[in-house]
């Protein structure tokens, strides 16, 4: 998953007039994105739908990492590594914290006093949470000459996205596009033809007929930090310093950004 866009890094490198180095830039962005995830202890990731299991401790509060939304929350009546989950909680049984998360994820599930359970029962992996984990999706609608662009994928296996107008220079390789409830990753753009990888980030591939398209974005400070580090790596390589990409000797501005995304629960 790329946390910076190809045109932004091109601009940082003053390489906006040519795409000859796009493959090298794309690799640097991918490496810088992975370095950002590594630098945060694996915490900062794209949002995806998945199932997670947690162990109840007899408390009302349960730390769940980075959570965007809950699909189902279940508790087992068996304490030790259960295979079935007997109780399904409703939205009135719990509260997500912090209430004012805004553009950031929730971190805890807190049981309401009037709900089914006063506390999460003690057990091993006895709480099952299906939901969207990571960070809330931010996106920009794809627009050309002031008009929204639409896209079509004829089936759930079609790898060629056909757009209503040429999107060269607007959509780039490495971008993630959102079409209805599906996300696809762009591997190549040629006029109105966009080659994609289907159903990324835990989404399900489906047919789409002339639907609005959005480019998946990330917090702007993350995009700036990853773009700066990718640019730094490419500049060093051009000077003969080809050491592996690392945050160990990061610029202060990159260090400050990565520190702001460090998981406080990891040290509790």
């Amino acid at each position: 998953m790329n946390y910076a866009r190809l045109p932004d890094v091109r601009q940082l490198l003053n390489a906006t007039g040519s795409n000859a180095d796009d493959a090298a830039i794309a690799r640097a962005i991918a490496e810088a994105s992975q370095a950002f995830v590594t630098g945060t202890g694996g915490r900062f990731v794209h949002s995806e739908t998945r199932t997670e299991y947690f162990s109840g401790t007899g408390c009302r509060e349960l730390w769940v990492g980075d959570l965007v939304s809950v699909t189902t929350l279940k508790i087992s009546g068996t304490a030790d590594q259960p295979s079935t989950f007997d109780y399904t909680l409703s939205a009135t049984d719990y509260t997500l914290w912090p209430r004012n998360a805004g553009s950031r994820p929730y971190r805890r599930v807190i049981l309401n006093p009037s709900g089914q359970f006063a506390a999460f029962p003690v057990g091993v992996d006895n709480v099952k949470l299906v939901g969207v984990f990571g960070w809330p999706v931010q996106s920009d609608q794809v627009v050309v000459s002031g008009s929204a662009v639409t896209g079509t994928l004829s089936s759930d296996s079609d790898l060629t996205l056909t757009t209503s107008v040429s999107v060269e220079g607007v959509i780039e390789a490495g971008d993630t596009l959102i079409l209805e409830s599906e996300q696809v990753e762009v591997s190549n753009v040629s006029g109105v033809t966009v080659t994609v990888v289907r159903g990324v980030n835990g989404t399900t591939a489906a047919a789409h007929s002339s639907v609005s398209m959005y480019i998946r974005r990330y917090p702007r400070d993350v995009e700036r930090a990853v773009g700066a580090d990718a640019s730094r790596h490419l500049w060093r390589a051009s000077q003969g310093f080809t050491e592996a990409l690392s945050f160990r000797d990061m610029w202060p501005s990159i260090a400050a950004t990565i520190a702001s995304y460090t998981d406080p629960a990891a040290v509790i």
Side-chain angles (χ1 to χ4, degrees):
M1 185 56 56
N2 292 339
Y3 294 145
R5 297 193 67 226
L6 194 59
D8 296 337
V9 178
R10 277 202 212 106
Q11 189 173 41
L12 287 171
L13 293 168
N14 195 28
T16 55
S18 170
N19 60 2
D21 297 324
D22 279 1
I25 295 173
R27 286 194 299 271
I29 292 172
E31 291 169 356
S33 299
Q34 184 56 53
F36 194 95
V37 173
T38 301
T40 57
R43 174 171 178 244
F44 188 87
V45 295
H46 55 277
S47 58
E48 63 180 9
T49 301
R50 63 176 186 262
T51 300
E52 295 281 356
Y53 296 88
F54 302 92
S55 298
T57 60
C59 300
R60 288 180 55 211
E61 301 180 356
L62 187 71
W63 285 93
V64 294
D66 295 332
L67 176 67
V68 177
S69 62
V70 175
T71 303
T72 59
L73 179 61
K74 297 184 178 183
I75 294 177
S76 174
T78 303
D80 296 327
Q81 295 184 331
S83 58
T84 61
F85 292 82
D86 313 286
Y87 307 99
T88 299
L89 277 64
S90 69
T92 58
D93 289 324
Y94 60 87
T95 298
L96 300 180
W97 178 93
R99 291 289 293 272
N100 58 340
S103 61
R104 287 180 173 256
Y106 298 107
R107 306 305 319 289
R108 291 185 290 178
V109 177
I110 303 176
L111 294 175
N112 294 331
S114 58
Q116 293 185 57
F117 289 85
F120 288 101
V122 175
V124 178
D125 292 343
N126 62 333
V127 180
K128 179 180 180 180
L129 197 165
V130 180
V132 179
F133 290 83
W135 281 65
V137 172
Q138 301 177 30
S139 62
D140 292 337
Q141 188 166 16
V142 180
V143 174
V144 173
S145 300
S147 298
V149 179
T150 61
T152 296
L153 285 162
S154 61
S155 69
D156 59 4
S157 59
D158 187 4
L159 302 180
T160 303
L161 171 66
T162 303
T163 59
S164 54
V165 298
S166 174
V167 290
E168 284 193 52
V170 178
I171 294 173
E172 300 278 359
D175 282 342
T176 297
L177 301 180
I178 302 171
L179 295 87
E180 298 180 298
S181 59
E182 181 184 0
Q183 296 183 32
V184 301
E185 185 173 337
V186 176
S187 54
N188 187 64
V189 180
S190 178
V192 299
T193 301
V194 182
T195 306
V196 297
V197 178
R198 303 297 303 275
V200 301
N201 298 339
T203 61
T204 301
H208 307 283
S209 180
S210 299
V211 299
S212 297
M213 303 192 306
Y214 299 83
I215 298 175
R216 172 75 157 96
R217 301 300 300 268
Y218 300 91
R220 295 304 192 260
D221 56 344
V222 172
E223 292 188 354
R224 286 192 297 271
V226 170
D229 203 66
S231 302
R232 179 186 69 159
H233 175 65
L234 288 165
W235 181 85
R236 284 183 169 182
S238 71
Q239 301 299 307
F241 299 99
T242 57
E243 70 271 21
L245 192 66
S246 171
F247 275 81
R248 282 191 288 271
D249 60 338
M250 68 188 79
W251 287 337
S253 60
I254 300 174
T257 300
I258 201 171
S260 70
Y261 287 92
T262 301
D263 186 358
V267 295
I268 291 178

